[in-house]
Amino acid sequence: DGQSGNCRICFSHHSFFILLGIPGLEDQHTWISLPFFISYLVAVLGNILLVFIIITERSLHEPMYFFLCMLAVADLILSTTTVPKALAIFWFHAGEISLDGCVTQIFFIHATFIAESGILLAMAFDRYVAICDPLRYTMVLSHTVIIRVGLAVVLRSFSVILPDVFLVKRLSFCHSNVLPHTYCEHMAVAKFACADIRVNVWYGLSVLLSTVVVDALLILVSYTLILNAVFHLPSREARQKALGTCGCHLGVISMFYLPGIFTIITQRFGQHVPLHTHILLANICMLAPPMLNPIIYGVKTKQIRERVVSTFHSGTMLSLC
């Protein structure tokens, strides 16, 4: 009976996995779910409101805000791909996920992450042209160019991550099907395979280097040129205005890259860091940018801030009537 039971378990490994949530903190899942739920609620409402305002406010029909709209949509996809499943684990112990569901989650998490990196690069280029070559701004970043950039970002992210689906689907799983995580991650799943996963490892690394790392380097070059141009502006008022327009974007870039960099460092060199710390850091990468991006732009951008206030004021007046 024991052997037949083991065989049944071995067979089931090919069809589903069990996500544990935050390992070692299972008794705290109810409390941990509160910041997850609040962050997700803020992310969904904030990004939907941001998209609505940019679409309906004609004064915001500019390249920077179109890119911001793309970022908000990507944030909605990224948070919705991961957080609802995490909450289901925390509240209902619903950790079971099929292999196909796991692969789908891997695809959308990684594709959206790379898309966000590409959008941030496009936003950096937008600021570069606006500050370093303002006379050609409308010509360089026409509506046609913006549409092409958006399509290029989506096609790049989908094309480089699609092989991940086949790399995971080709694997045979014979080890434990219990994943100590809140969502499916490519290498976390691949580690449970019986087969050689060197192709998965090297492909994953090459994708990271050729997309996110290259984007980060190009953003760094872009902002080096921008800051050099800003500090050569003749008046102090012009310098402050230029720095103000870049401040929001730099904040968003920091929220996107810094948690990821810190997570990679702790995974590579933090052998003594508890597993639950690694998982919490990975979730911060998924939660923080979607939640904070609309807040940063809402507070720092005058047109968005005024439109948000007028929208809520109109809603309040209608409810009173």
Side-chain angles (χ1 to χ4, degrees):
D1 289 340
Q3 287 181 341
S4 62
N6 288 336
C7 288
R8 283 196 297 271
I9 292 171
C10 287
F11 177 78
S12 68
H13 288 172
H14 294 269
S15 59
F16 76 95
F17 291 96
I18 297 171
L19 296 165
L20 282 182
I22 313 292
L25 298 177
E26 286 86 354
D27 57 334
Q28 303 295 323
H29 274 179
T30 303
W31 294 107
I32 293 169
S33 71
L34 294 178
F36 271 70
F37 176 70
I38 293 167
S39 300
Y40 181 59
L41 197 63
V42 171
V44 170
L45 295 177
N47 283 294
I48 288 174
L49 183 61
L50 197 59
V51 171
F52 173 76
I53 288 171
I54 291 169
I55 290 172
T56 57
E57 183 63 50
R58 291 189 64 84
S59 64
L60 297 176
H61 289 184
E62 298 176 7
M64 183 178 78
Y65 298 109
F66 285 135
F67 290 134
L68 178 57
C69 190
M70 294 179 200
L71 187 67
V73 171
D75 280 338
L76 283 169
I77 295 170
L78 185 65
S79 55
T80 302
T81 303
T82 55
V83 181
K85 183 60 182 177
L87 292 175
I89 296 166
F90 296 152
W91 290 341
F92 311 114
H93 307 290
E96 187 171 314
I97 185 169
S98 67
L99 177 59
D100 288 336
C102 203
V103 169
T104 302
Q105 201 176 42
I106 288 169
F107 175 79
F108 279 104
I109 289 170
H110 291 285
T112 310
F113 191 80
I114 289 171
E116 289 208 5
S117 180
I119 294 165
L120 290 174
L121 175 59
M123 292 171 79
F125 179 69
D126 167 82
R127 291 300 84 204
Y128 168 76
V129 177
I131 292 170
C132 299
D133 197 4
L135 297 177
R136 298 180 63 230
Y137 181 71
T138 53
M139 185 179 71
V140 172
L141 285 164
S142 64
H143 285 182
T144 304
V145 170
I146 294 166
I147 291 169
R148 286 175 179 172
V149 169
L151 288 173
V153 165
V154 172
L155 287 173
R156 182 188 74 157
S157 60
F158 275 44
S159 61
V160 298
I161 295 302
L162 194 59
D164 272 354
V165 172
F166 300 104
L167 287 173
V168 173
K169 290 283 282 184
R170 75 181 177 90
L171 297 173
S172 298
F173 300 97
C174 57
H175 300 300
S176 171
N177 66 338
V178 178
L179 293 174
H181 216 307
T182 56
Y183 59 85
C184 291
E185 196 273 326
H186 180 195
M187 291 315 303
V189 173
K191 285 176 183 176
F192 288 96
C194 312
D196 188 350
I197 61 167
R198 279 180 294 182
V199 174
N200 298 65
V201 172
W202 286 109
Y203 184 76
L205 183 61
S206 66
V207 167
L208 182 68
L209 292 173
S210 63
T211 55
V212 177
V213 173
V214 169
D215 290 347
L217 291 173
L218 290 173
I219 290 170
L220 182 63
V221 170
S222 177
Y223 266 93
T224 302
L225 296 171
I226 288 169
L227 292 174
N228 181 58
V230 166
F231 289 119
H232 282 86
L233 290 173
S235 69
R236 182 180 176 183
E237 186 181 344
R239 286 196 295 271
Q240 287 179 336
K241 185 178 179 181
L243 287 171
T245 59
C246 296
C248 298
H249 189 218
L250 285 171
V252 169
I253 289 169
S254 301
M255 284 310 307
F256 180 80
Y257 286 106
L258 292 181
I261 291 168
F262 191 61
T263 300
I264 291 168
I265 290 170
T266 55
Q267 285 176 344
R268 294 291 179 270
F269 306 107
Q271 287 83 5
H272 302 295
V273 176
L275 180 59
H276 64 260
T277 304
H278 289 294
I279 306 304
L280 286 170
L281 279 172
N283 279 281
I284 288 171
C285 292
M286 299 293 161
L287 283 168
M291 178 186 69
L292 293 175
N293 288 351
I295 294 173
I296 291 170
Y297 275 97
V299 170
K300 287 285 188 179
T301 308
K302 184 181 177 182
Q303 297 101 311
I304 294 175
R305 187 170 64 246
E306 288 176 349
R307 183 61 196 274
V308 169
V309 171
S310 67
T311 300
F312 280 109
H313 180 69
S314 301
T316 305
M317 291 300 291
L318 284 170
S319 64
L320 289 172
C321 291

